[in-house]
Amino acid sequence: MKTNNIEGLTLFEINVLIQQGGRFVIFPNTISNLFKKFKCSNIYFVRPEENTFKYGLKHFFKNLAIGWRFFPSGPIYTLKSLFYLIKGGTDYTQIILDELDRDNPIYNPDLHYLKYA
């Protein structure tokens, strides 16, 4: 799953922004045709000075246009997306940080190559 808005940031910078109030949020999408429904979500890194409304509004309109067709649960998922828009998304900050810490290798230089001859 792709995380949006962390392009060019190191893990240290992400941790500093999270301490200042940044967070990772997910807005659910339901895309459905007449017989199938697909649930997908996007992860956004919301910086401390940003509002989540601009990210969630796009997903609400997508659910409103595409997600309502799967009856009877399509309208329910559309209302659920409105709830998450008002709420500000689902906070997944700790889960994403745990994955980033696990996947980020620790740099241990070989001191043999750093010694002068």
Side-chain angles (χ1 to χ4, degrees), residues 33-71:
N33 57 16
L34 208 49
F35 300 108
K36 293 182 184 178
K37 73 175 176 185
F38 304 99
K39 287 185 173 182
C40 58
S41 58
N42 295 320
I43 303 171
Y44 288 96
F45 179 65
V46 180
R47 295 175 189 247
E49 67 275 356
E50 285 183 324
N51 191 356
T52 59
F53 188 76
K54 66 180 179 180
Y55 301 119
L57 193 62
K58 175 178 74 170
H59 296 289
F60 173 69
F61 283 128
K62 188 186 297 183
N63 283 338
L64 194 62
I66 301 172
W68 63 271
R69 290 184 248 168
F70 188 72
F71 192 76

Side-chain angles (χ1 to χ4, degrees), residues 1-7 14 18 22-29 39-47 50 52 54-56 58-59 62 88-100 102-103:
M1 207 178 301
K2 184 177 186 281
T3 305
N4 298 321
N5 301 338
I6 62 166
E7 294 84 14
I14 291 172
I18 287 175
R23 60 191 180 119
F24 289 96
V25 295
I26 291 181
F27 294 101
N29 286 333
K39 287 185 173 182
C40 58
S41 58
N42 295 320
I43 303 171
Y44 288 96
F45 179 65
V46 180
R47 295 175 189 247
E50 285 183 324
T52 59
K54 66 180 179 180
Y55 301 119
K58 175 178 74 170
H59 296 289
K62 188 186 297 183
T90 305
D91 191 11
Y92 274 71
T93 304
Q94 194 58 44
I95 296 168
I96 301 295
L97 276 181
D98 291 341
E99 286 185 19
L100 285 175
R102 185 186 59 206
D103 293 339

